[in-house]
Amino acid sequence: DGGITQSPKYLFRKEGQNVTLSCEQNLNHDAMYWYRQDPGQGLRLIYYSQIVNDFQKGDIAEGYSVSREKKESFPLTVTSAQKNPTAFYLCASSIRGAESYNEQFFGPGTRLTVL
Amino acid sequence: AQSVTQPDIHITVSEGASLELRCNYSYGATPYLFWYVQSPGQGLQLLLKYFSGDTLVQGIKGFEAEFKRSQSSFNLRKPSVHWSDAAEYFCAVVLTGTASKLTFGTGTRLQVTL
């Protein structure tokens, strides 16, 4: 089945530790995205990548880092510099388009809790 | 400032009743418009989208939405709600030529009573 996989579903981390969230897609999509979701705030874009080895900051990139070494993978690292990391993290992907928008498909999410 | 507003945080309807969820946007030009649904602890699923053309768009699960340029609105409707429609609904927009960067509203949580 084609789709987006995020692992783990639940993640606990101690304060001061970095943690990496996995996102894999087998849809052959060029573009991938990371969003953060907090209650009452909708989704906010952290980072996005339109092509391998290239990525751009979104609206709330501080305290996060990403890499895009393979087309199908876009891991997100939540660093100790992120002041309030407890949230639900969603990964998405889309066919990269030139000027037109392409639908984003979402993974099931990872809930990160900082203890 | 550019924004997407969903004025209703929480709505409760009876099963079988009609539903309308409101969405307003504030942009200089008409963006692409979307409605997504999220079940608890899950990812988002696209219900419908509007790019251009007919202002009444049909989506999955019996949902429809109407784009009204004069009101900068894109309200989601369903004639008869089912208990399984209980979820959180997000309106989202993307400006043309902005690398598919979605901007989401804060969401409306729908509760369905039997």
Side-chain angles (χ1 to χ4, degrees):
Chain A
D1 284 340
I4 301 175
T5 305
Q6 291 188 244
S7 60
K9 187 172 179 63
Y10 299 97
L11 189 57
F12 298 90
R13 153 198 136 173
K14 294 182 179 179
E15 268 192 62
Q17 289 182 337
N18 292 354
V19 63
T20 298
L21 281 60
S22 169
C23 178
E24 304 277 333
Q25 55 96 3
N26 60 6
L27 301 168
N28 199 32
H29 285 172
D30 293 296
M32 297 186 74
Y33 311 81
W34 274 105
Y35 294 90
R36 170 182 171 136
Q37 184 177 20
D38 296 281
Q41 295 194 45
L43 281 74
R44 293 178 290 169
L45 183 64
I46 304 173
Y47 269 98
Y48 64 102
S49 167
Q50 290 191 288
I51 197 168
V52 174
N53 293 322
D54 186 48
F55 49 83
Q56 289 78 40
K57 294 181 179 180
D59 300 320
I60 55 166
E62 185 175 351
Y64 299 97
S65 66
V66 294
S67 63
R68 187 84 188 278
E69 298 177 359
K70 299 186 296 182
K71 185 176 184 178
E72 58 270 22
S73 178
F74 191 41
L76 174 73
T77 296
V78 184
T79 75
S80 56
Q82 168 51 233
K83 299 304 180 188
N84 186 21
T86 295
F88 190 52
Y89 291 87
L90 287 157
C91 178
S93 70
S94 69
I95 297 171
R96 174 170 167 259
E99 292 298 322
S100 62
Y101 171 82
N102 293 289
E103 177 184 345
Q104 290 184 25
F105 294 82
F106 285 81
T110 292
R111 184 165 299 280
L112 172 65
T113 302
V114 175
L115 304 173
Chain B
Q2 298 171 338
S3 65
V4 180
T5 302
Q6 293 181 247
D8 303 306
I9 296 173
H10 186 214
I11 284 183
T12 300
V13 300
S14 300
E15 189 175 41
S18 63
L19 171 70
E20 182 169 25
L21 302 182
R22 296 182 290 166
C23 174
N24 293 91
Y25 64 90
S26 172
Y27 288 89
T30 299
Y32 297 144
L33 298 155
F34 307 84
W35 275 100
Y36 283 88
V37 61
Q38 184 183 36
S39 298
Q42 301 298 316
L44 274 68
Q45 181 182 23
L46 182 67
L47 286 175
L48 46 78
K49 58 190 176 186
Y50 173 78
F51 288 176
S52 64
D54 192 347
T55 57
L56 183 64
V57 294
Q58 303 296 321
I60 62 171
K61 304 185 180 187
F63 285 92
E64 66 179 25
E66 185 172 14
F67 168 61
K68 293 185 177 180
R69 186 187 306 274
S70 61
Q71 299 177 19
S72 297
S73 69
F74 188 55
N75 293 350
L76 182 71
R77 301 194 295 244
K78 188 170 185 177
S80 177
V81 171
H82 188 263
W83 64 265
S84 60
D85 292 325
E88 188 148 24
Y89 292 80
F90 292 94
C91 180
V93 307
V94 63
L95 294 178
T96 56
T98 58
S100 300
K101 290 177 61 179
L102 277 169
T103 297
F104 285 86
T106 52
T108 297
R109 180 164 297 280
L110 174 65
Q111 182 176 357
V112 180
T113 58
L114 301 176

